[in-house]
Every structure is written in C-alpha cells, then in structure tokens.
Amino acid sequence: MTTVVPTSEEDPALSVVRFTAEMSWAEAGPEVAEPQVTSLCMEAQECMIAGRWLDLASLMITSADLVFSKASEKDLECIFTVICNLVKKPESLDESLEISKLISTKIAQQPNEKPSLRLKILFNLYNMLENPYGRFLVYMKALEVAANGKDQRQLFLAISNILKEHKSSTKENLKFLTTYLATFSGDDAHDINEAKEEAAYTIIEFVKAPDMFQCDLLEMPAVAQLEKDSKYALVFELLKIFLVKRLDAYLDFYTTNSELLKSYGLVHEDCISKMRLMTIVDLASNESGQIPYSLIKNSLQIEEDEVESWVVKAIAAKLIDCKIDQMNQVIRVSRYSESVFGVSQWEALRTKLTTWRGNVANVITTIQANKVAEEGTQTMQGLMIR
C-alpha cells in the first residue's frame, strides 16, 4: 500500500490542493493562477479546521480530476493516496462511507483512461476501509473499471498484481489470475508465451492454498503449454497430481523433486494434508458410493484409528457428504465435489440429467395411465349402479 510521508510542515492534504491547483491554472499565467490557487487553499484550510471532511474530499477530487491527464502516474498515485486517506478522518461512519463513495464513483467514471492506475487507486482505498459495506462499494467500482476497460486481459493481470501487492485474499487473487489465463486460446501462439510465469505462479498458489480443492486450470491452453516447457513441466505435473491423482503419486514426486518444492515455498507436511483430502475425494468418485475403512487407511497412509478423523475433515471442507458406518467399517458417500470440472464432467452431468429426465417422463406417463384407468373404473361402476 502507498504511504504518504510528509516532507514539509504543510499538511499533505493542503499540499495536494496546492499542487493540483497550480497545475490546473498553469496555462492561465501567474496573474490569474495565483489568486485561484490561494482561494482553493484557503477553502481547503477552512474545511480542515471545521472538520468538514466530505467537503474537503469533494474539493480535492474535483481538482485532481482536472489534472488526471496531465500529471504523471507516480504523482497521481501520491495525490489519490492523500485523498483516499480522508476516509480515516471523520468520526462518523456515514461520512466516511460518503467519502469512499465519492472517491470510488469519480475514479470509475472514465475506466479507459489509465485503467491500471484507477484500479490501483481503488484497491488502495479498499484496503484503507474497515467497514464491510464501504469495502463492498469500492470493490464493485473496481469490477466496473475492469469490465469496461479496453484491454481486459491486462486489467485482470493488473488487479491480480495489486491484490498480491496488498497481500489480499489468495482466493481473490487466484480468481483474477484464473480469469486472466482463461483469456488465452490455443490460437494465441505468440501471446500465450507471456502467460507462462503467471500460469506457474497460479499452480503453486493453488497447491499452497489449504482451503482450495477445485480449479479449471488443467484444460486452459495457457496452463497446458507448461507440460512441454523445460522450466515449468514439473510444476504442471504437480498440478495434475493434486487434481487427478492420489497421495502415493505425490510422495513419489516429492522423492525426486523435494528441492524444487522447497524453492517454490511449498511445505511438504501441508502438501501431504491437502493430498489426503484430495485422495478421499478421488476415492469417492471412483467407488460405488461405499469406501471401506481399509482402502482409506492404505490410500492415505494413516493408522486405522485416524480414518474417521480424516473423513470428518473432508466433510468439514465440504468435499463430501457421507455417513460413517462404524459397524461395517465403510463410508457411504452421497455427494462429492469434483476436483476438475471439464468436458468429461459435463458429459457425465448431461448423461445423468438425460436419465433423470427419462425417469421423470416415465413416472408422469405411469401417473397419467393410472388416472385414466381409475376414471374408467369409476365410470363403469356408475353405469352398473344405474
């Protein structure tokens, strides 16, 4: 996050008002400019003394907007850091929210002008806010800028970099990185190379994340290219292990690539824990609704008395729904989450839906036939009584 460091006795807010005013009136000449600059500075001082922070924010954002196309990005970042810092001034939460709304709305008005900088300003403001509602408002404005920008691919990457810089949620960062990677197709032979580092970084972050168990990275061309890449082929293999293989495959990989994993900051014990949960999911998808304790024990390489605790962990992570049958030493699975949801999973879902549709149609036909038969029987009984 950008930090304002005062370099003079003048308040940073007043310095910004003076700087933007001087730049705005520079072409008018000193005779016209000086009175205007003095007037704006006096107005700003009055707002500060009276604690009218919303009025001060309005004054500063208007002045800053006039120089947005003239000032350098470095100057603009400093200017808006000072302006955003005003959200911390009011004692009233409502006034703080109004200031954040004013700033974020103004920033989002022209998304195609310096979009990356606008996103950086918005996420800077986002991190200054503590109120969830205020954060939500600013976050939505950031999405507006991203959605309306000309080069959405670079904007998604810019958002990810900003989130990374501010050490924000890993899930949020990976969401934008994944969206960025999804913009590449197999036909982008020239451009796709630029995504290699981001693809590898995304894989490593997914593996590190203790609460992420599903992703669609495997079939993305930007990620698939790593399979034959001399530098990142092993990273791609690691992704395949975590998504479609079991613990034993990871342990074999670790035996020959332990230094590689350490170089990426991966902790072996954490990887084992995550792989055990992924292995339970894989067992649930490959067995006919029942998983014997013994199979879980052997696949997870744990003691028999640890089986139920690992199953409970999988349930808590919402990876499976099941009943633990202690009497028969089996787990009866009613639902499991797919680690990968690609073409084959969609085809399987279509088959299930087609079967379900057929079954429903048969039930409806049977009900209708029974209704016709019942009505016919009632008619016959009525005629017999007459």
Side-chain angles (χ1 to χ4, degrees), residues 1-4 76-88 100 103-104 107 116-130 135 138-139 142 159 162-163 165-166 168:
M1 183 186 298
T2 305
T3 303
V4 181
L76 286 171
E77 188 177 346
C78 291
I79 288 168
F80 278 95
T81 298
V82 174
I83 296 173
C84 291
N85 200 54
L86 292 179
V87 297
K88 297 180 178 180
S100 63
I103 297 170
S104 58
I107 292 297
S116 296
L117 175 62
R118 290 179 185 273
L119 286 170
K120 193 164 190 176
I121 293 168
L122 287 169
F123 278 104
N124 189 14
L125 175 59
Y126 175 90
N127 281 286
M128 287 185 181
L129 293 167
E130 295 181 0
R135 284 189 153 205
V138 175
Y139 185 77
I159 294 173
I162 292 167
L163 291 171
E165 180 183 332
H166 290 300
S168 299

Side-chain angles (χ1 to χ4, degrees), residues 280-281 284-285 289-291 311-324 331-338:
I280 291 177
V281 174
S285 67
Q290 294 191 144
I291 315 174
V311 171
V312 170
K313 288 178 184 179
I315 295 171
K318 299 182 180 179
L319 295 174
I320 60 170
D321 286 335
C322 68
K323 290 184 178 180
I324 300 175
I331 306 300
R332 304 188 190 279
V333 180
S334 56
R335 182 202 63 83
Y336 63 89
S337 299
E338 296 280 2

